[in-house]
Amino acid sequence: MISLFFTCLGFGQNIETSEKLNIKEAKKQAKRFLRKHGIPGMSISVSRKGNLIWSEGFGYANRKTKVKVEPNKTLFRIASISKSITAVTLGKLVDDNLINLDESIYNYLPDYPVKNHDFTVRELAGHLAGIRSYRGNEFTLNKKLSISEGVELFKNDSLLFEPSSQFFYNSFGYVLLSEIMQKASQTDFVSLVEKSVFNPLHMTHTMLDDSSIDIPNKTNFYKKKRVLSTPVANEYKVAGGGFLSTSEDLITFGKEIISPTLISKDVLTEITTSQKLKSGNHTGYGIGFSVEQTKNKTPKYYHTGGGVGTSTVLLIYPKEEVVISVLTNRTGIKMDAFGKALEAIFLD
């Protein structure tokens, strides 16, 4: 019995030592990544089996005043990780029988201009509908628009292709999706997300990036290490890239994808299963999540984000019960390689 006790004790100590070594290596790579890309500030949080095992801020939320990044407090633009939050909110509407993924969008928006082809909610949410992307200065538009006003930017444009014949990633599709969601629920989109996701998960540091107010603890946003980004108004595209959050709040969200409490397992499967083109080829994207496998052939759900003054990644590994969240306050940083480096550390 005593021998068994010491064996178990030694096993536990080995796990603890291994985790400390993982964190030490991850911290070293994070500092190298920060320096290499001239990132002013970055926040990283990691959970395993529901427990936060590492959460740390690097650099500054405000370089001029030397305000340091705090992972439980500093608000970053999460950019396209917003699509993952939208997907879970959509899933709740599906569970509540307010939206059918395979119905035409015209069932929900009968006044939307008629195109050469009909398309479904699923095709829209899976980037298969042929909605166009940004043109000109639309990406950096600094005019506060409602979601309905945002739809006006592209609603009269033709589809780029026959739905489901191609995959074309874009955020305007999620503007249209959010319009459908608020019409179907008879609730404005941000209130819907708050009620469906933020409040029940206690994501108290996740919110709309409201360009008209001064939001406490929001980081400055940079286009270069010492150069601030130009102002932008993201309200109309909140569903596709307009939320603020902390790296720790995103860990909470990621854990919901591993053990769902807000949506059914059937709906979770819908949003985390790769869409297929008419050709039969998989797109590698479900609804609001990229879908891949790790080197161990286990599922990996993730989303990267790139916006004005931000580059982000959220990685979710349901089999290993690991969630990794990385938020930065600089434009144009490729996050895939760094995400894979962290994956190699925390999944081995």
Side-chain angles (χ1 to χ4, degrees), residues 225-290:
K225 188 173 184 179
R226 294 177 175 83
V227 182
L228 289 169
S229 299
T230 55
V232 65
N234 290 322
E235 288 88 349
Y236 81 91
K237 57 181 177 181
V238 57
F243 284 117
L244 300 170
S245 191
T246 63
S247 61
E248 290 193 7
D249 257 19
L250 290 183
I251 292 294
T252 299
F253 176 74
K255 289 190 288 187
E256 169 65 18
I257 305 305
I258 294 174
S259 300
T261 61
L262 304 179
I263 58 176
S264 65
K265 289 186 177 180
D266 286 345
V267 166
L268 178 63
T269 299
E270 293 272 9
I271 67 177
T272 56
T273 298
S274 173
Q275 303 294 325
K276 288 171 71 173
L277 300 177
K278 288 182 175 179
S279 65
N281 292 333
H282 287 270
T283 66
Y285 194 95
I287 294 175
F289 292 92
S290 292

Side-chain angles (χ1 to χ4, degrees), residues 40 77 149 223 236 288 338:
R77 288 176 180 148
E149 289 170 331
K223 61 181 178 182
Y236 81 91
F338 184 54

